[in-house]
Amino acid sequence: QIIHSTSISQSNKSSIHIPAYTIVDEPRFGWRGMLLDVSRHFFDIEFVKKYLDIMAMYKLNVFHWHLTDDQGWRIEIKKHPKLTEVGAWRKGTGKEKWDYQIEAVVDGDPKYGGFYTQEEIKEIIQYAKERYITVIPEIELPGHSWSALNAYPELSCTGTPWIRPEETPWEFTDPFCPGNEKTFEFFENIFSEVIDLFPSKYIHIGGDEAKKTPWTKCEKCQLRMQAHNLENVDELQSYFVKRIQKIVNSKGRKIIGWDEILEGGLAPGAAVMSWRGEEGGIEAATHKHNVVMTPGDFVYFNKPQFDAKLEDAGYNILPLEKIYSYNPIPKELEKENHKYILGAEALLWSEYLYSYEIAENRLTPRIAALSEVVWTSKENKNWKNFQNKLTNHFSFLDEKNVNYFIPPPTNIENDLFVKDDYKVEMNKSYTNSEIYYTMDNSEPTKNSIKYDKPFIISNSVIIKAKTFMLSNRSSKTVTARINKTAYQKNKMIDNLQVGIQAKYFTGNISSVNDFDNMEFQNVIMLNNFTIPTNIEKDFFGIEFDGYIKILEDGIYTFYLSSDDGSKLIINDKLVIDNDGIHGMIEVKNKVALSKGYHSIKLIYFDNKFGEGLEVNVSSAKMEKQIVPSSMLYHKN
């Protein structure tokens, strides 16, 4: 890093003059990791090597290789060849984006996928070792096993291949059958080969999101539970984990798994990765288990960095500053248990990584922020200093031909104004960058108008702006529609009462436009836009209808967060479109409202796997807050 940064400032590249240094440095944590999910989308060994090179640059030392999942089994197991012959390939549903397909044609049937031979895995392990990186393999169990159970369906509770519903491509799949002794013979064979390949101390066994309902209906599983006095399926999962741990331990290794392996009790010596927040890590450390922190709110690098809708990522954004702010030692953890926190790891899940370029864009420059999280002491961390240091790293990434993320101009967005003049301001994130913009709806280039200082406009206009780096790489275009407008007129309504009316529906839909396909249940009166506690979760919809009371003329910003889709309509006009099946995503927009009552409608649905809804509002005189019940009314 010193050589690289010094060479930037010196014009004579043939010889670089470096001052004498005394370096006193050591990492804060011993586990400084990055996960790469190669199941949902397959990455060839050249990309894996590039990934390791970037990790080494930032002194990360654990490569967590997510080799198996529902969508593909990626490691050759000689004892069970169908794992790659069948499990490494899948058909498309027509909904996926496979920009870099690798296809196998079997009986004229094209399929997507790929796998690593054992020789290729040895090559990667050696490549990582030369860069002081340990490779931790992950073999998912008992759930996330569709690829394996398609190859060997006799190891499921039904004994038949699981059929995925076409409308839910990421559906949780049936797990392995813990009542079948052949399941454990199967994993004995697999871990024998895996451990012969990987010299790592830990072997990751997954353990998350196991769909346990098949176990409640399986005669073999029920007999197993009776034989071992297991009270519920959580304890049956614990039994499964402990059996696998015994296999791994017998070969001189230790297991690590996602925090669900805590359910039903955890065997001594097992380590935990805490991904559902920090609670699992705190519990594990309190019980003297080693922990690696991987909370989704801070280190899920598959989340987009800019705009969740624009980047088609199914998640809310995760900005660089939030990653940098993370402290892997939870405040709630007793000091005597801090020693059990081995470190932290960022996770790059690949459901939405349709190309290598997108993967690199999510990884960098975030990996630099992670590097300081796990290496630098809390006292030496400084966000502004980090931003300044980061500018030197873009030339390194340029040399490696890495498609790093470039933030588009900030502080410019869709806006309204009701006066004659409006000041346009734009900010850039890095000093060694420039902003160029247009006002004729064309794409900005370096021949467009260069932004130097704020400027005034008097009429409605569409502004498109981009950030350009010195290397001529550029950001995505940000488009701002600046509209001169009048305040929307209020409605004269009598006999209003506090509260909002909510119609409750049930049914399996994927868009708020499909409410006609749902079954009406009843009408519920609520104080605000919230999900009632007394309804069935999954496959439901709510249509809120009423009025919002505005206390004074102004421009109001509404923020709509939902999991899954939602739309906000004010005065019969669409204000926010947050439709589709996705995780918790916030979308905002502004509307000019006059003092008084305005009709408001919110349509929301949840498909499956979690639900969430929140509506906030702000104005020039109102801090962002959940829409209070005092603003919501309905007809008597």
Side-chain angles (χ1 to χ4, degrees):
Q1 288 180 3
I2 290 171
I3 292 170
H4 180 77
S5 59
T6 304
S7 68
I8 293 173
S9 61
Q10 294 181 9
S11 57
N12 182 9
K13 305 297 183 182
S14 60
S15 61
I16 300 169
H17 299 275
I18 301 171
Y21 286 95
T22 298
I23 301 173
V24 180
D25 195 15
E26 63 182 3
R28 183 182 177 199
F29 294 102
W31 189 298
R32 306 182 301 281
M34 274 299 315
L35 173 143
L36 179 62
D37 169 15
V38 297
S39 174
R40 277 59 176 263
H41 283 286
F42 179 71
F43 296 87
D44 64 27
I45 62 170
E46 292 309 312
F47 179 85
V48 175
K49 288 179 179 179
K50 187 175 185 180
Y51 198 86
L52 292 167
D53 285 339
I54 297 170
M55 284 182 60
M57 172 66 183
Y58 293 104
K59 299 194 279 286
L60 301 187
N61 65 345
V62 178
F63 174 50
H64 178 172
W65 209 354
H66 188 78
L67 288 162
T68 74
D69 212 301
D70 290 326
Q71 289 76 26
W73 184 283
R74 307 296 181 209
I75 174 173
E76 178 190 24
I77 301 296
K78 296 183 184 297
K79 187 81 172 179
H80 298 292
K82 285 196 292 185
L83 284 171
T84 47
E85 290 172 2
V86 175
W89 308 94
R90 67 181 189 258
K91 291 183 181 180
T93 65
K95 298 178 181 179
E96 298 91 343
K97 293 182 180 178
W98 293 340
D99 289 350
Y100 52 106
Q101 296 189 38
I102 298 174
E103 290 188 345
V105 178
V106 181
D107 297 328
D109 185 14
K111 297 182 180 181
Y112 168 83
F115 66 93
Y116 309 100
T117 66
Q118 292 195 4
E119 289 306 308
E120 287 174 324
I121 285 172
K122 290 175 184 176
E123 183 180 342
I124 290 296
I125 292 170
Q126 181 60 32
Y127 193 88
K129 181 180 178 182
E130 291 167 0
R131 287 149 184 80
Y132 306 97
I133 295 172
T134 298
V135 184
I136 305 288
E138 179 177 357
I139 307 297
E140 269 277 8
L141 58 90
H144 285 276
S145 305
W146 184 30
S147 58
L149 290 176
N150 263 0
Y152 295 95
E154 63 272 19
L155 300 179
S156 70
C157 289
T158 64
T160 59
W162 183 82
I163 305 299
R164 178 190 68 190
E166 286 298 318
E167 68 276 9
T168 53
W170 304 114
E171 169 83 21
F172 288 164
T173 56
D174 287 356
F176 282 96
C177 177
N180 187 347
E181 196 61 27
K182 289 184 178 180
T183 296
F184 299 102
E185 295 172 9
F186 177 77
F187 280 112
E188 175 93 41
N189 295 333
I190 288 173
F191 284 114
S192 291
E193 294 191 33
V194 168
I195 288 171
D196 282 347
L197 285 169
F198 292 88
S200 56
K201 173 182 175 182
Y202 285 103
I203 303 295
H204 203 297
I205 63 164
D208 64 312
E209 298 178 328
K211 178 182 172 184
K212 302 168 190 172
T213 50
W215 297 349
T216 64
K217 305 171 186 177
C218 173
E219 184 179 346
K220 291 179 181 178
C221 289
Q222 293 304 306
L223 289 172
R224 180 79 76 184
M225 290 174 67
Q226 292 171 20
H228 293 272
N229 298 315
L230 305 177
E231 293 186 4
N232 51 51
V233 289
D234 284 344
E235 290 189 5
L236 183 58
Q237 172 158 334
S238 179
Y239 169 86
F240 197 124
V241 169
K242 289 173 182 176
R243 285 284 303 268
I244 297 300
Q245 183 177 20
K246 188 175 180 180
I247 293 171
V248 174
N249 289 166
S250 70
K251 302 177 187 306
R253 309 299 175 83
K254 296 184 177 182
I255 67 163
I256 185 168
W258 304 111
D259 51 61
E260 284 96 328
I261 67 173
L262 289 164
E263 296 170 3
L266 186 58
V272 169
M273 281 194 173
S274 187
W275 72 279
R276 299 179 299 177
E278 295 183 324
E279 292 79 7
I282 293 169
E283 180 185 348
T286 301
H287 289 90
K288 317 304 180 190
H289 291 283
N290 286 336
V291 174
V292 178
M293 284 296 186
T294 63
D297 286 346
F298 289 95
V299 292
Y300 265 42
F301 280 14
N302 48 297
K303 293 183 178 183
Q305 304 195 53
F306 169 44
D307 184 291
K309 288 285 187 179
L310 184 62
E311 298 194 32
D312 190 23
Y315 297 92
N316 214 338
I317 64 168
L318 177 59
L320 188 66
E321 186 172 5
K322 186 169 184 179
I323 297 167
Y324 189 82
S325 71
Y326 183 54
N327 179 9
I329 303 290
K331 291 182 292 187
E332 299 83 357
L333 186 64
E334 296 288 340
K335 190 171 183 179
E336 64 187 33
N337 294 321
H338 286 190
K339 62 186 177 182
Y340 295 107
I341 306 297
L342 301 181
E345 178 176 298
L347 313 179
L348 193 60
W349 301 112
S350 66
E351 289 99 327
Y352 298 93
L353 304 187
Y354 309 124
S355 68
Y356 295 165
E357 290 74 22
I358 294 175
E360 292 174 10
N361 197 257
R362 299 282 164 82
L363 176 66
T364 54
R366 287 164 153 175
I367 194 170
L370 174 69
S371 179
E372 292 215 0
V373 166
V374 291
W375 185 285
T376 307
S377 63
K378 287 194 300 181
E379 312 81 64
N380 289 335
K381 284 178 65 182
N382 182 288
W383 169 244
K384 288 187 177 179
N385 287 346
F386 171 76
Q387 285 181 298
N388 292 333
K389 289 186 290 184
L390 197 57
T391 58
N392 281 336
H393 287 251
F394 293 121
S395 59
F396 163 76
L397 296 172
D398 285 331
E399 289 174 9
K400 295 291 184 183
N401 195 30
V402 175
N403 183 41
Y404 56 86
F405 174 74
I406 301 168
T410 58
N411 200 39
I412 180 171
E413 57 187 21
N414 292 344
D415 214 341
L416 302 172
F417 69 104
V418 292
K419 296 181 180 179
D420 291 335
D421 294 331
Y422 181 86
K423 182 192 285 187
V424 177
E425 289 189 76
M426 293 182 261
N427 296 330
K428 58 186 182 180
S429 299
Y430 306 123
T431 54
N432 59 345
S433 63
E434 296 173 334
I435 295 173
Y436 290 86
Y437 68 95
T438 64
M439 292 194 293
D440 59 2
N441 208 24
S442 63
E443 280 296 306
T445 69
K446 278 203 166 183
N447 294 321
S448 303
I449 309 167
K450 183 179 178 181
Y451 177 80
D452 292 315
K453 60 183 179 181
F455 58 92
I456 302 296
I457 59 173
S458 300
N459 298 303
S460 298
V461 68
I462 295 176
I463 297 175
K464 290 189 172 183
K466 265 187 177 184
T467 302
F468 286 83
M469 305 298 287
L470 297 182
S471 63
N472 287 328
R473 289 179 184 260
S474 62
S475 70
K476 290 187 174 181
T477 300
V478 61
T479 301
R481 292 169 173 82
I482 314 298
N483 292 314
K484 188 173 183 180
T485 187
Y487 295 120
Q488 292 186 23
K489 292 183 179 180
N490 60 26
K491 296 181 182 294
M492 304 302 294
I493 308 293
D494 296 323
N495 300 321
L496 291 181
Q497 293 186 346
V498 174
I500 194 86
Q501 176 181 281
K503 294 180 181 178
Y504 168 48
F505 300 81
T506 56
N508 185 353
I509 62 172
S510 57
S511 169
V512 296
N513 299 322
D514 298 334
F515 258 62
D516 289 345
N517 299 324
M518 302 192 84
E519 184 176 344
F520 172 73
Q521 298 298 326
N522 62 327
V523 176
I524 306 170
M525 298 309 302
L526 299 169
N527 292 325
N528 50 32
F529 298 114
T530 188
I531 299 171
T533 57
N534 59 341
I535 65 172
E536 291 292 327
K537 300 303 187 288
D538 292 339
F539 305 123
F540 70 91
I542 305 174
E543 187 177 287
F544 301 85
D545 207 352
Y547 296 87
I548 185 165
K549 184 179 181 180
I550 299 300
L551 297 179
E552 59 181 297
D553 295 351
I555 307 268
Y556 290 82
T557 304
F558 288 86
Y559 310 79
L560 178 55
S561 300
S562 65
D563 173 359
D564 293 287
S566 57
K567 284 187 180 180
L568 181 67
I569 299 163
I570 297 177
N571 293 330
D572 301 319
K573 296 178 181 177
L574 180 63
V575 175
I576 299 177
D577 185 351
N578 196 6
D579 199 8
I581 295 178
H582 53 71
M584 198 72 170
I585 293 177
E586 179 184 87
V587 181
K588 65 180 180 178
N589 201 5
K590 297 184 179 182
V591 59
L593 300 173
S594 60
K595 179 180 177 180
Y597 294 97
H598 299 262
S599 66
I600 188 167
K601 178 180 284 190
L602 171 61
I603 309 171
Y604 163 77
F605 80 92
D606 176 69
N607 187 270
K608 204 172 184 184
F609 305 140
E611 64 283 326
L613 178 66
E614 185 173 299
V615 185
N616 285 266
V617 64
S618 69
S619 69
K621 296 184 179 180
M622 182 194 301
E623 293 288 331
K624 180 181 178 182
Q625 59 184 281
I626 292 175
V627 177
S629 57
S630 60
M631 292 180 70
L632 296 175
Y633 291 79
H634 68 280
K635 281 185 179 181
N636 189 5

